[in-house]
Amino acid sequence: CRAVTNRSVPGSSRSRRVCTHEVASGRVARQPITRRMADVPPLEIGSAGASARRKAERLREQREQLRSTRRGLGRLLAAFSPSETETRLQKEERDYATGAEGEQILARSLARRCPDVPMLHDRRAPIRQGNIDHIAIAPTGVYVIDCKRYKGKIQVVKPPFGRASLKINRRNRTRLLEGLGRYVADVEAAVAGVADGVPVHGCLCFVAPAGLL
């Protein structure tokens, strides 16, 4: 460990001890040491899209189990005319599989563009239910990255009065920003417990829809 200037906080000239440890592929993570962090082992960096893949697999198993209950002609008809429940499960399975692929695409892009920035993938939210797709620990702060995969034009609409809104394919998707804000608040609370003055940023990152890569 060695003393360095904490440049991640604007205007700060305080020195802190930092510890280095291997995180993946020979990369080294440097983070301030506090009394509470000293005995904490390095975290697993996680696997991008793992939760979404597991959900897609469970949905496929449910769909196959439902189909297995049919016999004879019923099973043959199900192949050409699935029930409403089978159709719903198939759509949800496809959506989760597409989301998992998008998270993997983004993880590879982040690793390529930011090789010196440690990344955590598919992290369970520390307070509320759900998972955070990616977390980047950079000198400028912690970045909470939510990966999305939508078809259609993405735009921010700013009316003369009132709040701006996020629209995708002409549909109001402002709730995506609200969800991201809740995850940012969760991470801010978690980071504040081990280090002071670390900024936490939220990012929505849109990757190409399925079939366009």
Side-chain angles (χ1 to χ4, degrees):
C1 295
R2 59 190 178 84
V4 296
T5 301
N6 182 11
R7 294 187 177 90
S8 63
V9 182
S12 174
S13 59
R14 292 178 298 172
S15 293
R16 291 188 178 185
R17 297 176 65 208
V18 299
C19 181
T20 64
H21 59 269
E22 297 293 326
V23 292
S25 303
R27 295 207 304 271
V28 175
R30 293 177 172 81
Q31 58 183 356
I33 279 204
T34 67
R35 185 173 299 174
R36 293 178 60 183
M37 294 170 62
D39 299 325
V40 177
L43 292 173
E44 293 291 333
I45 65 171
S47 176
S51 293
R53 285 196 304 274
R54 287 194 297 268
K55 181 64 175 179
E57 291 169 1
R58 286 195 296 268
L59 289 166
R60 186 184 68 252
E61 291 172 358
Q62 292 178 33
R63 188 164 52 86
E64 292 175 349
Q65 184 177 10
L66 182 62
R67 182 172 296 181
S68 68
T69 60
R70 302 192 180 196
R71 295 291 183 269
L73 184 60
R75 180 175 296 185
L76 179 61
L77 290 175
F80 297 96
S81 181
S83 67
E84 183 178 340
T85 301
E86 288 175 311
T87 301
R88 176 182 57 81
L89 291 173
Q90 187 173 33
K91 181 183 181 305
E92 292 180 1
E93 176 191 340
R94 183 171 58 249
D95 289 345
Y96 276 103
T98 299
E101 183 185 22
E103 292 180 38
Q104 291 175 312
I105 292 170
L106 179 55
R108 290 194 295 267
S109 178
L110 291 170
R112 184 174 65 254
R113 294 171 180 271
C114 310
D116 297 323
V117 176
M119 302 280 178
L120 302 176
H121 306 290
D122 197 56
R123 315 307 292 184
R124 185 169 60 86
I127 297 177
R128 65 194 81 247
Q129 290 185 344
N131 75 297
I132 299 171
D133 296 338
H134 313 281
I135 299 176
I137 302 97
T140 53
V142 176
Y143 291 80
V144 179
I145 304 170
D146 198 3
C147 177
K148 298 299 178 185
R149 208 170 187 189
Y150 284 91
K151 291 183 179 179
K153 183 179 180 180
I154 301 170
Q155 59 183 149
V156 177
V157 178
K158 298 180 179 179
F161 303 98
R163 298 175 59 184
S165 61
L166 173 66
K167 289 195 174 182
I168 304 175
N169 199 23
R170 299 183 180 181
R171 297 184 64 181
N172 192 326
R173 299 288 187 179
T174 307
R175 61 180 177 79
L176 299 179
L177 295 172
E178 296 168 353
L180 175 63
R182 289 190 288 270
Y183 284 141
V184 168
D186 288 348
V187 174
E188 283 178 332
V191 171
V194 293
D196 298 326
V198 178
V200 179
H201 313 277
C203 305
L204 274 181
C205 193
F206 295 90
V207 301
L212 296 184
L213 294 177

